[in-house]
PDB file of all heavy atoms in Angstrom:
ATOM      1  N   SER A 380      15.607 124.357  76.376  1.00  0.00           N
ATOM      2  CA  SER A 380      16.768 124.071  75.515  1.00  0.00           C
ATOM      3  C   SER A 380      16.311 123.201  74.350  1.00  0.00           C
ATOM      4  O   SER A 380      15.834 122.086  74.552  1.00  0.00           O
ATOM      5  CB  SER A 380      17.854 123.363  76.315  1.00  0.00           C
ATOM      6  OG  SER A 380      18.977 123.104  75.481  1.00  0.00           O
ATOM      7  N   ARG A 385      24.585 123.644  71.183  1.00  0.00           N
ATOM      8  CA  ARG A 385      24.383 124.672  72.209  1.00  0.00           C
ATOM      9  C   ARG A 385      25.656 124.782  73.039  1.00  0.00           C
ATOM     10  O   ARG A 385      26.509 123.884  73.008  1.00  0.00           O
ATOM     11  CB  ARG A 385      23.194 124.335  73.097  1.00  0.00           C
ATOM     12  CG  ARG A 385      23.455 123.079  73.930  1.00  0.00           C
ATOM     13  CD  ARG A 385      22.359 122.825  74.928  1.00  0.00           C
ATOM     14  NE  ARG A 385      22.720 121.632  75.724  1.00  0.00           N
ATOM     15  CZ  ARG A 385      21.958 121.141  76.694  1.00  0.00           C
ATOM     16  NH1 ARG A 385      20.808 121.726  77.001  1.00  0.00           N
ATOM     17  NH2 ARG A 385      22.333 120.099  77.368  1.00  0.00           N
ATOM     18  N   HIS A 394      23.085 118.919  71.669  1.00  0.00           N
ATOM     19  CA  HIS A 394      21.988 118.524  72.557  1.00  0.00           C
ATOM     20  C   HIS A 394      21.085 117.543  71.817  1.00  0.00           C
ATOM     21  O   HIS A 394      20.476 117.873  70.821  1.00  0.00           O
ATOM     22  CB  HIS A 394      21.197 119.777  72.996  1.00  0.00           C
ATOM     23  CG  HIS A 394      20.207 119.494  74.071  1.00  0.00           C
ATOM     24  ND1 HIS A 394      18.949 120.084  74.122  1.00  0.00           N
ATOM     25  CD2 HIS A 394      20.283 118.688  75.173  1.00  0.00           C
ATOM     26  CE1 HIS A 394      18.303 119.643  75.187  1.00  0.00           C
ATOM     27  NE2 HIS A 394      19.108 118.792  75.846  1.00  0.00           N
ATOM     28  N   ARG A 395      21.021 116.325  72.327  1.00  0.00           N
ATOM     29  CA  ARG A 395      20.343 115.236  71.611  1.00  0.00           C
ATOM     30  C   ARG A 395      18.828 115.267  71.792  1.00  0.00           C
ATOM     31  O   ARG A 395      18.139 114.440  71.207  1.00  0.00           O
ATOM     32  CB  ARG A 395      20.859 113.897  72.135  1.00  0.00           C
ATOM     33  CG  ARG A 395      22.308 113.655  71.814  1.00  0.00           C
ATOM     34  CD  ARG A 395      22.806 112.452  72.605  1.00  0.00           C
ATOM     35  NE  ARG A 395      24.108 112.029  72.134  1.00  0.00           N
ATOM     36  CZ  ARG A 395      24.297 111.194  71.118  1.00  0.00           C
ATOM     37  NH1 ARG A 395      23.270 110.705  70.492  1.00  0.00           N
ATOM     38  NH2 ARG A 395      25.519 110.871  70.749  1.00  0.00           N
ATOM     39  N   GLY A 396      18.350 116.142  72.684  1.00  0.00           N
ATOM     40  CA  GLY A 396      16.911 116.125  72.950  1.00  0.00           C
ATOM     41  C   GLY A 396      16.339 117.510  73.144  1.00  0.00           C
ATOM     42  O   GLY A 396      16.915 118.505  72.734  1.00  0.00           O
ATOM     43  N   LEU A 397      15.175 117.514  73.761  1.00  0.00           N
ATOM     44  CA  LEU A 397      14.424 118.742  74.004  1.00  0.00           C
ATOM     45  C   LEU A 397      14.196 118.821  75.516  1.00  0.00           C
ATOM     46  O   LEU A 397      13.742 117.855  76.114  1.00  0.00           O
ATOM     47  CB  LEU A 397      13.093 118.628  73.260  1.00  0.00           C
ATOM     48  CG  LEU A 397      12.088 119.761  73.395  1.00  0.00           C
ATOM     49  CD1 LEU A 397      12.614 121.007  72.668  1.00  0.00           C
ATOM     50  CD2 LEU A 397      10.740 119.331  72.798  1.00  0.00           C
ATOM     51  N   ASP A 398      14.548 119.995  76.117  1.00  0.00           N
ATOM     52  CA  ASP A 398      14.331 120.163  77.563  1.00  0.00           C
ATOM     53  C   ASP A 398      13.024 120.912  77.788  1.00  0.00           C
ATOM     54  O   ASP A 398      12.824 122.000  77.242  1.00  0.00           O
ATOM     55  CB  ASP A 398      15.487 120.949  78.201  1.00  0.00           C
ATOM     56  CG  ASP A 398      16.769 120.116  78.231  1.00  0.00           C
ATOM     57  OD1 ASP A 398      16.690 118.884  77.961  1.00  0.00           O
ATOM     58  OD2 ASP A 398      17.839 120.695  78.487  1.00  0.00           O
ATOM     59  N   HIS A 442      16.230 112.560  83.754  1.00  0.00           N
ATOM     60  CA  HIS A 442      16.256 113.419  84.960  1.00  0.00           C
ATOM     61  C   HIS A 442      15.010 113.266  85.832  1.00  0.00           C
ATOM     62  O   HIS A 442      14.699 114.134  86.629  1.00  0.00           O
ATOM     63  CB  HIS A 442      16.426 114.916  84.584  1.00  0.00           C
ATOM     64  CG  HIS A 442      17.548 115.169  83.621  1.00  0.00           C
ATOM     65  ND1 HIS A 442      18.847 114.776  83.853  1.00  0.00           N
ATOM     66  CD2 HIS A 442      17.562 115.825  82.415  1.00  0.00           C
ATOM     67  CE1 HIS A 442      19.606 115.132  82.837  1.00  0.00           C
ATOM     68  NE2 HIS A 442      18.853 115.781  81.935  1.00  0.00           N
ATOM     69  N   HIS A 473      13.414 119.420  85.088  1.00  0.00           N
ATOM     70  CA  HIS A 473      12.966 119.454  83.678  1.00  0.00           C
ATOM     71  C   HIS A 473      12.975 118.030  83.114  1.00  0.00           C
ATOM     72  O   HIS A 473      13.573 117.122  83.689  1.00  0.00           O
ATOM     73  CB  HIS A 473      13.855 120.372  82.818  1.00  0.00           C
ATOM     74  CG  HIS A 473      15.195 119.807  82.470  1.00  0.00           C
ATOM     75  ND1 HIS A 473      16.239 119.758  83.377  1.00  0.00           N
ATOM     76  CD2 HIS A 473      15.661 119.270  81.309  1.00  0.00           C
ATOM     77  CE1 HIS A 473      17.298 119.221  82.786  1.00  0.00           C
ATOM     78  NE2 HIS A 473      16.980 118.917  81.520  1.00  0.00           N
ATOM     79  N   LEU A 474      12.276 117.880  82.001  1.00  0.00           N
ATOM     80  CA  LEU A 474      12.331 116.594  81.264  1.00  0.00           C
ATOM     81  C   LEU A 474      13.267 116.759  80.080  1.00  0.00           C
ATOM     82  O   LEU A 474      13.102 117.679  79.269  1.00  0.00           O
ATOM     83  CB  LEU A 474      10.931 116.203  80.753  1.00  0.00           C
ATOM     84  CG  LEU A 474      10.910 115.027  79.758  1.00  0.00           C
ATOM     85  CD1 LEU A 474      11.349 113.721  80.422  1.00  0.00           C
ATOM     86  CD2 LEU A 474       9.518 114.854  79.135  1.00  0.00           C
ATOM     87  N   HIS A 475      14.265 115.886  80.017  1.00  0.00           N
ATOM     88  CA  HIS A 475      15.096 115.798  78.800  1.00  0.00           C
ATOM     89  C   HIS A 475      14.447 114.692  77.955  1.00  0.00           C
ATOM     90  O   HIS A 475      14.442 113.521  78.329  1.00  0.00           O
ATOM     91  CB  HIS A 475      16.539 115.467  79.165  1.00  0.00           C
ATOM     92  CG  HIS A 475      17.391 115.151  77.970  1.00  0.00           C
ATOM     93  ND1 HIS A 475      18.072 116.130  77.285  1.00  0.00           N
ATOM     94  CD2 HIS A 475      17.657 113.977  77.344  1.00  0.00           C
ATOM     95  CE1 HIS A 475      18.736 115.546  76.272  1.00  0.00           C
ATOM     96  NE2 HIS A 475      18.479 114.236  76.305  1.00  0.00           N
ATOM     97  N   PHE A 476      13.883 115.089  76.789  1.00  0.00           N
ATOM     98  CA  PHE A 476      13.097 114.158  75.942  1.00  0.00           C
ATOM     99  C   PHE A 476      13.828 113.938  74.613  1.00  0.00           C
ATOM    100  O   PHE A 476      14.167 114.899  73.920  1.00  0.00           O
ATOM    101  CB  PHE A 476      11.716 114.770  75.701  1.00  0.00           C
ATOM    102  CG  PHE A 476      10.835 113.961  74.794  1.00  0.00           C
ATOM    103  CD1 PHE A 476      10.476 112.645  75.095  1.00  0.00           C
ATOM    104  CD2 PHE A 476      10.334 114.531  73.612  1.00  0.00           C
ATOM    105  CE1 PHE A 476       9.642 111.927  74.246  1.00  0.00           C
ATOM    106  CE2 PHE A 476       9.509 113.802  72.761  1.00  0.00           C
ATOM    107  CZ  PHE A 476       9.160 112.500  73.073  1.00  0.00           C
TER     108      PHE A 476
HETATM  109 ZN1  LIG B  24      18.502 118.087  77.806  1.00  0.00          ZN
END
Side-chain angles (χ1 to χ4, degrees):
S380 181
R385 66 173 182 180
H394 189 218
R395 294 169 169 274
L397 178 70
D398 290 349
H442 311 304
H473 75 283
L474 169 66
H475 171 89
F476 177 59

